[in-house]
């Protein structure tokens, strides 16, 4: 099968590869790049476990061909922590508020919440629920996920205020 | 869930895209947001040999105010529609409908052009465009033509588009200032297609209905424009009797099939309920 060259940026690193056009981005990330943070839950565009950030929007990586991502900037949960290993406020929030049980949905939830909080830095709980309505969790009942996102929103707002002072 | 193999093309002009599609014939398909096509390809319900990705073509996305007409580029995403101040002001039924389509990730990819060109009876924008009296601009190697949304849909996945054509733009006659609008959709969960849904636009003049337009989603092979439901409202005060008659016309026009969303009778009934709610809400919003 003929391959197509692609160049993209993943978690800040330039990546060049040759892929079959039908290779889904989720398979490329997991199997070619070894980034197994983004999960495959349903493979039918419903569960959001495969959510990554691409060119400033949240996308379901099981419903994007890698060739479509040629030239794109992609962020996965592996790219969330700081260079010094410090956790992102969302990662911290999921820990502090017990935002996960089995953890299967967590990388997708975190990446969706990451983009959502940039679109709406000070959301109501109801807005958070709509914001993550494309991500399913079979364990938590969502309550603690909402709290974890709230925790991150508050922490990021406080950091913003400090930076402004 | 691996799609069949295909060759990928990413042209940068409309001319190049239609040339490719024309040359490759029915083995080729345009690729927009991919959120109907890729799921179909995973199920091997679609096995195109060539995909022509429209993402690099300049000028295919964006929302333009042309005075009497609002033009929406085919590659404009549902997320763009939701973020458009122009649409919120001049044609708020569009963002109201986008919000009821799928979920945030799907709306970030899914395009207006893909939604209306697809021909899936479950898509929400076709009935909306019929309600608004929109026109689709189709471009092929031989030039450009326009087809009314009310004439575009022939059967499930069969539309007026020819091989080698792409839909470049949707043109919507701007609804008059002060119009009332509502899109009502019954669905079982976020990300579900409609059990039934109704789009309504109406205008009032001195407390009486001056114009009304009603169309239905997912209760037939195609979207259904129900002229008789609009006629049942015009000239009335949009009171209960008129609303009941519009809902009855919608139930009669509906031809749903039984599926996981319910048996035929139920889905036709829901179509009536959606019309009743949408008309009442549109009336209350009209000035
Ligand atoms: C989980 C999930 C839930 C969904 N729920 C809903 C819902 O509730 N309501 C709803 O309306 N939709 C829903 N959708 C479908 C979604 O809105 C799709 O994005 C949309 O139907 C197609 O748009 P697209 O840009 O993704 O097109 P694609 O998938 O890229 O294309 C769809 C079809 O249209 C053709 N096409 C695309 N663009 C053009 C063009 N410019 N000219 C000619 N042909 C073109 C393609 O060749 C293909 O045949 C859902 C999808 C998913 C995955
Ligand atoms: S694996 Fe992509 S949405 Fe479920
Ligand atoms: S923590 Fe198990 S699916 Fe969400």
């Amino acid at each position: 099968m003929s391959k197509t060259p692609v160049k993209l940026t993943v978690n800040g690193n330039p990546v060049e590869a040759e892929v079959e056009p039908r290779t889904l981005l989720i398979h490329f990330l997991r199997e070619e790049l070894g980034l197994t943070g983004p999960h495959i839950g349903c493979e039918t565009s419903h569960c959001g476990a495969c959510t990554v950030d691409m060119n400033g929007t949240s996308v379901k990586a099981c419903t994007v061909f890698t060739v479509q991502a040629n030239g794109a900037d992609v962020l996965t949960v592996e790219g969330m922590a700081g260079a010094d290993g410090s956790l992102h406020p969302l990662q911290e929030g999921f820990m502090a508020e017990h935002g996960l049980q089995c953890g299967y949905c967590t990388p997708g939830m975190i990446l969706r919440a990451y983009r959502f909080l940039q679109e709406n830095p000070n959301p109501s709980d109801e807005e958070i629920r709509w914001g993550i309505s494309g991500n399913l969790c079979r364990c938590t009942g969502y309550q603690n996920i909402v709290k974890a996102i709230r925790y991150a929103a508050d922490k990021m707002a406080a950091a913003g205020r400090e930076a402004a002072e | 869930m691996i799609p069949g193999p295909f060759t990928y093309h990413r042209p940068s002009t409309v001319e190049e895209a239609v040339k490719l599609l024309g040359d490759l014939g029915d083995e080729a398909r345009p690729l927009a947001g991919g959120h109907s096509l890729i799921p179909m390809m995973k199920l091997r319900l679609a096995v195109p040999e060539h995909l022509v990705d429209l993402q690099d073509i300049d000028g295919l996305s964006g929302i333009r105010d042309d005075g009497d007409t609002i033009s929406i580029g085919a590659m404009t995403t549902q997320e763009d529609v939701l973020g458009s101040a122009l649409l919120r002001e001049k044609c708020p039924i569009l963002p109201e409908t986008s919000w009821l389509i799928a979920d945030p990730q799907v709306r970030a990819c899914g395009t207006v052009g893909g939604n209306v060109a697809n021909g899936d009876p479950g898509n929400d924008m076709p009935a909306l465009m019929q309600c608004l009296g929109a026109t689709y601009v189709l471009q092929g190697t031989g030039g450009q033509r326009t087809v009314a949304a009310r004439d575009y849909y022939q059967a499930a996945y069969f539309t007026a588009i020819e091989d080698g054509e792409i839909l470049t733009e949707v043109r919507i006659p701007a609804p008059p200032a002060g119009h009332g609008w509502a899109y009502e959709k019954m669905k079982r969960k976020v990300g579900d297609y409609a059990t039934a849904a109704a789009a309504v636009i109406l205008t009032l003049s001195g407390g009486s209905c001056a114009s009304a337009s009603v169309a239905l989603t997912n209760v037939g092979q195609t979207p259904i424009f129900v002229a008789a439901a609009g006629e049942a409202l015009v000239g009335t005060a949009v009171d209960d009797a008129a609303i009941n008659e519009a809902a009855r016309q919608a139930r009669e026009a509906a031809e749903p099939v039984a599926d996981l969303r319910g048996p035929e009778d139920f889905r036709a009934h829901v179509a009536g309920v959606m019309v009743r709610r949408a008309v009442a809400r549109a009336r209350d919003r009209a000035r």
Side-chain angles (χ1 to χ4, degrees):
Chain A
M1 183 47 53
S2 73
K3 295 201 168 183
T4 302
V6 291
K7 268 192 208 183
L8 54 162
T9 307
V10 180
N11 298 331
N13 304 313
V15 171
E16 281 188 47
E18 301 230 319
V19 296
E20 252 191 82
R22 62 170 164 175
T23 310
L24 296 165
L25 181 60
I26 189 68
H27 292 139
F28 178 71
L29 293 172
R30 291 177 57 85
E31 289 159 25
E32 298 295 321
L33 304 185
L35 297 171
T36 54
H39 290 159
I40 301 174
C42 64
E43 247 188 318
T44 57
S45 330
H46 284 96
C47 74
C50 63
T51 301
V52 301
D53 206 68
M54 183 170 122
N55 293 337
T57 50
S58 313
V59 302
K60 294 179 173 176
C62 74
T63 315
V64 175
F65 290 121
T66 312
V67 285
Q68 289 176 283
N70 192 7
D73 195 353
V74 174
L75 178 71
T76 72
V77 73
E78 286 88 345
M80 291 290 288
D84 59 355
S86 58
L87 293 183
H88 186 277
L90 274 162
Q91 294 173 305
E92 209 182 287
F94 272 74
M95 246 168 63
E97 300 288 353
H98 303 282
L100 62 145
Q101 290 176 24
C102 79
Y104 204 85
C105 68
T106 313
M109 287 285 182
I110 287 182
L111 265 291
R112 175 59 200 134
Y114 167 79
R115 181 53 49 193
F116 171 70
L117 287 182
Q118 298 187 36
E119 293 158 0
N120 184 352
N122 184 22
S124 66
D125 282 4
E126 178 164 355
E127 286 167 340
I128 294 176
R129 286 174 186 276
W130 283 111
I132 58 167
S133 58
N135 295 72
L136 299 180
C137 175
R138 300 306 298 260
C139 303
T140 63
Y142 301 98
Q143 199 65 25
N144 287 354
I145 294 178
V146 174
K147 286 187 193 159
I149 296 171
R150 164 101 278 134
Y151 175 105
D154 291 346
K155 177 153 182 183
M156 285 154 74
R161 277 195 301 275
E162 251 168 55
E165 272 161 22
Chain B
M1 301 269 283
I2 312 285
F6 61 88
T7 305
Y8 177 75
H9 308 266
R10 204 199 269 197
S12 49
T13 63
V14 172
E15 291 68 33
E16 230 182 298
V18 294
K19 169 107 184 33
L20 269 168
L21 288 165
D23 291 349
L24 297 167
D26 64 0
E27 307 301 341
R29 283 272 198 106
L31 172 66
H35 274 55
S36 286
L37 187 52
I38 298 175
M40 299 259 286
M41 288 174 67
K42 286 186 189 173
L43 297 169
R44 307 272 175 136
L45 292 172
V47 199
E49 287 173 17
H50 297 268
L51 287 187
V52 178
D53 189 344
L54 306 179
Q55 69 166 302
D56 274 356
I57 301 179
D58 272 345
L60 268 193
S61 72
I63 300 162
R64 221 175 50 232
D65 185 355
D66 294 334
D68 291 346
T69 310
I70 299 166
S71 303
I72 303 182
M75 291 297 280
T76 306
T77 64
Q78 303 294 348
E79 190 175 278
D80 297 336
V81 169
L82 282 170
S84 165
L86 170 71
L87 291 179
R88 272 201 303 277
E89 188 200 326
K90 293 211 160 165
C91 196
I93 195 171
L94 255 151
E96 176 159 296
T97 305
S98 291
W99 178 249
L100 295 171
I101 292 177
D103 60 48
Q105 289 95 315
V106 176
R107 291 194 294 261
C109 290
T111 66
V112 172
N115 201 295
V116 301
N118 195 25
D120 183 331
N123 281 131
D124 288 289
M125 296 221 137
L128 172 62
M129 295 307 171
Q130 293 195 338
C131 175
L132 286 164
T135 306
Y136 302 156
V137 181
L138 306 178
Q139 173 93 39
T141 39
Q144 210 181 62
R145 64 186 179 115
T146 56
V147 178
R150 290 176 196 168
D151 298 329
Y152 183 79
Y153 302 94
Q154 297 165 348
Y157 298 105
F158 286 92
T159 68
I161 204 165
E162 304 282 348
D163 285 340
E165 281 184 324
I166 64 171
L167 191 156
T168 55
E169 192 169 86
V170 176
R171 292 189 187 147
I172 299 166
H179 72 279
W181 76 94
Y183 191 75
E184 282 283 346
K185 175 176 177 180
M186 164 79 88
K187 54 185 172 139
R188 297 165 304 173
K189 60 178 271 291
V190 165
D192 191 18
Y193 291 95
T195 302
V200 171
I201 297 277
L202 55 76
T203 55
L204 296 182
S205 171
S208 156
C209 179
S211 67
S213 170
V214 178
L216 305 175
T217 295
N218 215 17
V219 284
Q221 292 253 319
T222 64
I224 302 174
F225 176 69
V226 193
E231 284 156 17
L233 298 169
V234 173
T236 73
V238 196
D239 50 15
D240 286 352
I243 293 179
N244 282 338
E245 177 55 17
R248 192 184 68 78
Q249 293 290 352
R251 274 197 309 275
E252 298 252 305
E255 294 178 327
V257 291
D259 67 5
L260 291 171
R261 296 177 185 83
E264 291 134 20
D265 291 358
F266 172 71
R267 295 186 63 196
H269 171 75
V270 175
V273 175
M274 293 301 104
V275 166
R276 189 173 292 145
R277 290 183 190 168
V279 171
R281 218 146 52 82
R283 175 199 60 201
D284 294 346
R285 281 165 158 176
R287 281 178 283 114

